[in-house]
Amino acid sequence: GEDVEQSLFLSVREGDSSVINCTYTDSSSTYLYWYKQEPGAGLQLLTYIFSNMDMKQDQRLTVLLNKKDKHLSLRIADTQTGDSAIYFCAEDPNSGGYQKVTFGIGTKLQVIP
Amino acid sequence: ETGVTQTPRHLVMGMTNKKSLKCEQHLGHNAMYWYKQSAKKPLELMFVYSLEERVENNSVPSRFSPECPNSSHLFLHLHTLQPEDSALYLCASSQESGSGANVLTFGAGSRLTVL
């Protein structure tokens, strides 16, 4: 079955770059996602990447996809205290239709001022 | 009001109580979901409703009973729960399309504590 793995915790200093890593098992995944959960809130989509891409950049966020190794990463440049949250990696084997997304456990990012 | 709204935000119940969680979406989406979020566990998909029909039921115990009366509303009825059911229950919605990424929009969750 599908499985998405992430480390539980990451601590960085304000202004540094953060890199959150994820591995997944379903090679048929069409889209891979990063969601952010702030305290007391639900998950919010940050960005996603289509499986035929290997990189996507969106302002301070860079997503790298290594499809051969089934490895996804999220880099946050110039990390700010407002970036402190839990970051979820997710994969979806479908294209269209309702979502049968598999989420990871979430990586808690702590930004030290 | 826009987005996905969940009520109540916090609920404490005894093991013999019956309660319900409510979710409402104002996005015109045609699919709705219940997820369970427990500490140090991946998000667990519980139920999916697509076009008001239940299309996914991931081996969830019968003490959880979903209801989708229309495309904007989703309920989770709770009955004789166990302490291990204490968790954050997240509702989400999405718009089905023929292709492309379907993004989930989540509510803020209902924090359930079972005594």
Side-chain angles (χ1 to χ4, degrees):
Chain A
E2 301 91 1
D3 197 18
V4 176
E5 294 191 359
Q6 304 176 238
S7 55
L8 275 175
F9 189 75
L10 176 67
S11 180
V12 299
R13 292 208 173 273
E14 191 174 18
D16 288 350
S17 291
S18 308
V19 179
I20 303 171
N21 294 300
C22 166
T23 56
Y24 60 96
T25 55
D26 191 339
S27 57
S28 66
S29 290
T30 307
Y31 288 93
L32 294 128
Y33 304 84
W34 285 104
Y35 282 81
K36 176 183 180 183
Q37 185 181 32
E38 294 181 352
L43 280 70
Q44 181 181 18
L45 180 74
L46 266 185
T47 186
Y48 64 87
I49 189 167
F50 188 49
S51 58
N52 70 350
M53 299 169 65
D54 50 24
M55 186 180 93
K56 181 179 179 181
Q57 187 148 6
D58 183 1
Q59 299 182 328
R60 293 191 296 121
L61 305 178
T62 304
V63 178
L64 295 178
L65 174 60
N66 181 328
K67 204 172 176 185
K68 175 176 164 287
D69 295 338
K70 299 193 191 76
H71 183 266
L72 183 73
S73 69
L74 174 70
R75 180 177 179 268
I76 305 172
D78 186 26
T79 312
Q80 303 297 306
T81 54
D83 295 323
S84 294
I86 302 174
Y87 291 81
F88 290 88
C89 171
E91 63 170 350
D92 178 17
N94 300 320
S95 177
Y98 70 89
Q99 290 261 289
K100 195 173 178 182
V101 176
T102 301
F103 285 86
I105 201 169
T107 300
K108 186 171 184 178
L109 174 65
Q110 179 189 48
V111 182
I112 304 165
Chain B
E1 197 171 340
T2 59
V4 178
T5 305
Q6 290 188 242
T7 53
R9 291 294 311 275
H10 300 272
L11 178 63
V12 179
M13 59 187 288
M15 290 167 62
T16 57
N17 291 158
K18 287 185 186 180
K19 297 284 184 185
S20 297
L21 306 180
K22 179 183 174 183
C23 177
E24 188 173 357
Q25 58 99 358
H26 306 272
L27 300 165
H29 287 169
N30 56 16
M32 295 188 77
Y33 311 75
W34 281 115
Y35 281 88
K36 178 182 178 183
Q37 185 178 16
S38 306
K40 297 182 183 176
K41 283 187 171 183
L43 225 60
E44 297 172 50
L45 178 63
M46 299 175 73
F47 302 105
V48 182
Y49 277 82
S50 176
L51 300 170
E52 299 162 46
E53 277 194 45
R54 192 191 309 182
V55 295
E56 196 79 24
N57 177 349
N58 280 356
S59 304
V60 179
S62 59
R63 56 187 185 267
F64 294 91
S65 173
E67 180 190 359
C68 186
N70 56 60
S71 60
S72 300
H73 293 86
L74 185 65
F75 294 89
L76 188 62
H77 302 300
L78 314 170
H79 177 49
T80 58
L81 294 192
Q82 305 297 311
E84 60 264 29
D85 297 322
S86 298
L88 182 68
Y89 289 85
L90 292 164
C91 174
S93 67
S94 72
Q95 179 62 29
E96 286 189 21
S97 65
S99 63
N102 284 328
V103 172
L104 291 166
T105 302
F106 283 85
S110 294
R111 172 72 61 186
L112 173 66
T113 303
V114 182
L115 301 176

